Amino acid sequence: MPRYDFRCRSCGATFELRRPMAQANDPAVCPQGHEDTVKLLSTVAVTGAAAASRPTPAAGGGGGGGCCGGGCCG
Ligand SMILES: [Zn+2]
């Protein structure tokens, strides 16, 4: 389950919550009970997933014949 960081604009505290992605944009309540919070950009979960799904350009690079191996020529 992804982790989301929040910051309370009332007391300035930062806290994190684990919640389903479907509830990522739901309002979060500060541990101190404040409701004026903002969601901070998560770095670990988001960037990790994006990098993993992205094909590595190092496989091609104009070595000659590498393109057909990927099936993009057929
Ligand atoms: Zn607070």
Side-chain angles (χ1 to χ4, degrees):
M1 188 173 297
R3 186 193 68 191
Y4 299 95
D5 294 324
F6 292 86
R7 177 186 298 167
C8 177
R9 291 193 292 190
S10 294
C11 67
T14 56
F15 56 98
E16 62 184 41
L17 294 176
R18 292 179 184 273
R19 51 167 54 174
M21 292 186 69
Q23 301 176 11
N25 292 322
D26 287 4
V29 179
C30 168
Q32 304 300 326
H34 306 132
E35 296 182 356
D36 189 9
T37 59
V38 292
K39 186 165 72 70
L40 304 178
L41 292 178
S42 179
T43 54
V44 178
V46 176
T47 54
S53 61
R54 182 183 306 167
T56 57
C67 179
C68 295
C72 59
C73 296

